[in-house]
Amino acid sequence: MFIEDIKNDFYNILLGNRVLLLVHYDVDAICTCKILQGLFKSDNVSYTLVPVGGIAELKQAYEENNEEIKYVVLVNCGGTIDLVDILQPEEEVVFFVLDAHKPTDVCNVYSDGQVRLVYKDSEENIPNFDDIFKDEEEDEENEESESGREGLEAMVERRRERRAWEERRNTLMFNYTQFSYYGKPSACIALELAWRVSRCGWGGVWAGSVAAAAGAALCRRAPAQALLDHHHLREHTPQEHDKTGCHVTLEKDVCLPLYRRWSLEAALCHAPALAPSLRLHTRAGHARLRQLLADTGIPLQQARQAYRSMDVELRRSLLSALEAAAPKHKLPAPTHTTFLLQRVHSPTLPAMDVVFAIMGLIEHETIPKAEGFQHALSALDTQSGQNESLSLGSAGAMAALQAVARLVHGTLSGRRLHLAGPFSYFIVQEGTPESRIVRGPLWLGVAARWTAAAAGASRAVVASAPIDDTTCLLLGIPPRYQHEPRNLFGAAFEQAATKCGASVSLDHVDSSVITLPLAQRPQFLDALTALLA
């Protein structure tokens, strides 16, 4: 069921009770967790925080921590599965679900109150209750109570009506579940809650800003929806700076992640939004990059040194110079409107940089995921001075972007992007340096989108990377993902697995990401090709 009042029907119920907080490993979920932690600290709400990566981890975390727990808050997990059926909770346990993954499972939507959904997305076209649920016991009782010719005719008619109803139900459910997509960032909902309970500070606004930037940077939200998310955040911006002088502004910035920590040339070579259009995997690619720098009036010597060491006038003119040169080189818009964190005696910090830093911590080459999760929470701190977690994540993100660039360039120049009917696919080779970094859904997704953009972005792309010696990860990117990020691969993967009998694991929260045995990958791709042809 959907709650009506986020303050009274959700937050006020948690006050005075111990809460189990289950948070998914993604940027939006971590930002939401940061906001909720601030609220819980202000109101002395005791809680147990457990990060979860998939449905199996969600079930394990609940089973290990549900003792004397009556209220469970799930962030970006649990909304797309039948929670009561999978977790088998006691009747008095209540689940509050704040999940940006869509579509929401209909059993959660029509729960009698044990599952309470914190937010209803306006895009969800949820089927009516009577169209998808039917009382089977009542039908059986009617069949048993009737006899004779008239009773037999009535029974046949009811069975015909039931078959017609089941066909309509199957059609409705297929239309409802065939695409997976992302709704409004959960952190925006948590920020609205903070505003409703008069706890909306700059720290919460910054966490919400990073979540909104993640939706745009990872192409999870269409451009128009991303603008609405930004507008929603501006409505809850405090009127005054806090006592530390920290505040968040919405300004135009360059679409180059981490360029303030990099050189301008390196940032251009590793920017997922711009680098594909430079076609650096070709012989003429680097000449095109040098020509772009020349057209912006930036000497190559300046572009190759640390950005902060560049001439001040060149830095000031960077935005306008790139905007003027982009049309000649057929680049997408090189600037965007984004959130910037302004702090006393500290450099400006773009929200997009923190997005990639958190990704670098969650899917770090050497740091365990649980430790990376805690670092990611610390990376969202807004205090002035050196943030060790943010620096660690930025270094990890820069290494990951370099690995993604090498992977994409090798895939395209080596002609390892294979055509398979209506989609293309590539495989990260086991044992390569890139396979140690680009093996999780976040960075593999960046590589898939980069590859799709470099190839024209008109075809869907499937990417696969080894997890270990026997298992691989596989994910799908829809065509024209920049404009319409709805993804049909979740339903397609499930049908292809059924068709070929592959031992596919649908454990991931995002249905467009699966794992399967390496030995079964060829037959699975053949089945997927036949299905989508």
Side-chain angles (χ1 to χ4, degrees), residues 363-365 428 431-439:
E363 293 185 359
H364 198 278
E365 185 179 1
V428 182
T432 60
E434 293 76 30
S435 67
R436 296 197 303 269
I437 300 177
V438 188
R439 59 181 179 180

Side-chain angles (χ1 to χ4, degrees), residues 292-362:
L292 172 64
L293 290 170
D295 291 339
T296 60
I298 300 176
L300 194 59
Q301 181 182 5
Q302 290 281 331
R304 286 179 172 172
Q305 62 183 333
Y307 174 80
R308 291 175 183 171
S309 301
M310 283 178 59
D311 183 87
V312 175
E313 292 302 321
L314 292 176
R315 283 187 288 167
R316 288 175 178 170
S317 63
L318 177 61
L319 269 72
S320 58
L322 276 176
E323 286 181 324
K328 175 182 176 181
H329 296 270
K330 298 181 180 179
L331 295 179
T335 61
H336 62 158
T337 302
T338 188
F339 291 96
L340 304 175
L341 179 64
Q342 310 282 359
R343 298 168 294 177
V344 177
H345 306 307
S346 292
T348 298
L349 180 60
M352 186 169 67
D353 284 12
V354 183
V355 171
F356 282 92
I358 290 176
M359 291 169 56
L361 291 165
I362 297 173

Side-chain angles (χ1 to χ4, degrees), residues 64-65 118 174 200 229 279 342 399 452 518:
E64 292 178 353
N65 297 277
V118 177
F174 175 78
C200 189
D229 295 339
R279 300 184 63 78
Q342 310 282 359
L518 279 168

Side-chain angles (χ1 to χ4, degrees), residues 472-475 493 504-506 508 511-516 524:
C472 67
L473 185 78
L474 194 141
L475 58 80
F493 286 163
V504 168
S505 171
L506 305 175
H508 291 269
S511 62
S512 63
V513 182
I514 61 172
T515 55
L516 73 159
F524 178 83

Side-chain angles (χ1 to χ4, degrees), residues 77-266:
C77 56
T80 58
I81 59 175
D82 186 348
L83 276 175
V84 174
D85 180 61
I86 290 177
L87 299 184
Q88 298 293 316
E90 300 293 334
E91 291 185 1
E92 66 272 9
V93 177
V94 176
F95 297 95
F96 290 101
V97 181
L98 187 52
D99 195 351
H101 297 92
K102 305 296 176 185
T104 306
D105 188 273
V106 292
C107 293
N108 294 338
V109 172
Y110 293 112
S111 168
D112 59 359
Q114 189 163 21
V115 178
R116 305 180 189 183
L117 305 170
V118 177
Y119 175 75
K120 181 178 181 180
D121 198 278
S122 58
E123 296 180 39
E124 287 195 90
N125 187 20
I126 301 170
N128 294 325
F129 179 87
D130 293 335
D131 292 333
I132 55 176
F133 292 105
K134 201 174 185 68
D135 191 345
E136 296 182 359
E137 294 182 0
E138 182 178 343
D139 289 348
E140 292 175 358
E141 290 176 0
N142 289 336
E143 290 185 7
E144 293 175 357
S145 63
E146 294 178 349
S147 59
R149 183 182 180 84
E150 293 182 357
L152 180 61
E153 291 177 352
M155 181 181 67
V156 171
E157 181 62 25
R158 274 195 303 273
R159 289 184 176 178
R160 185 182 299 114
E161 291 176 354
R162 180 164 184 83
R163 283 196 298 271
W165 177 87
E166 288 176 347
E167 290 177 1
R168 291 194 303 271
R169 180 189 188 279
N170 292 338
T171 302
L172 282 171
M173 290 302 297
F174 175 78
N175 292 337
Y176 178 63
T177 60
Q178 65 175 322
F179 293 106
S180 62
Y181 60 100
Y182 287 83
K184 180 184 291 187
S186 297
C188 292
I189 312 304
L191 186 64
E192 182 179 344
L193 170 63
W195 180 75
R196 289 284 306 277
V197 299
S198 302
R199 300 278 196 278
C200 189
W202 285 111
V205 171
W206 178 236
S209 303
V210 172
L218 304 181
C219 299
R220 292 179 170 177
R221 300 281 280 168
Q225 295 169 331
L227 286 176
L228 290 176
D229 295 339
H230 289 177
H231 177 70
H232 177 87
L233 287 170
R234 292 193 68 182
E235 291 179 340
H236 301 103
T237 301
Q239 298 299 315
E240 299 178 355
H241 299 179
D242 67 6
K243 58 185 178 181
T244 64
C246 156
H247 65 286
V248 180
T249 59
L250 186 62
E251 298 179 19
K252 184 181 287 188
D253 196 22
V254 185
C255 296
L256 301 176
L258 303 165
Y259 74 94
R260 290 175 174 85
R261 294 174 178 263
W262 231 329
S263 68
L264 180 59
E265 183 185 43

